[in-house]
Amino acid sequence: MNKVLTIAALVIALATIGFLYQTLSKTEEALKRAEQRFTDCEQVNFQLQNQLTAATRGATVPDSLKVR
């Protein structure tokens, strides 16, 4: 009976470790996607600021800075 409880505790511990590892992996992937979106938003924001500055000064906006 004592060995059965020990084995059951080890199986539960292993299952918990597996669950936590899977959750951590999903969280890391979500973080990578969020960081990429943030980087993309920063780039678009920079482009829009350049367009606004150019428009405010009356200059034309180069095609390379226009948001598509």
Side-chain angles (χ1 to χ4, degrees):
M1 181 68 177
N2 193 14
K3 290 183 181 182
V4 173
L5 290 176
T6 304
I7 291 174
L10 290 173
V11 168
I12 291 171
L14 184 60
T16 303
I17 291 170
F19 171 75
L20 292 174
Y21 178 77
Q22 182 181 16
T23 304
L24 178 62
S25 296
K26 288 180 182 180
T27 304
E28 286 176 339
E29 286 297 319
L31 178 61
K32 286 179 187 176
R33 287 192 305 271
E35 287 174 340
Q36 183 60 47
R37 287 184 195 134
F38 181 75
T39 303
D40 293 345
C41 288
E42 281 184 322
Q43 181 64 32
V44 169
N45 188 33
F46 178 75
Q47 291 172 350
L48 290 173
Q49 285 176 344
N50 284 342
Q51 286 182 9
L52 180 62
T53 301
T56 303
R57 293 180 181 164
T60 58
V61 178
D63 288 338
S64 62
L65 294 179
K66 290 184 180 178
V67 177
R68 294 172 182 81

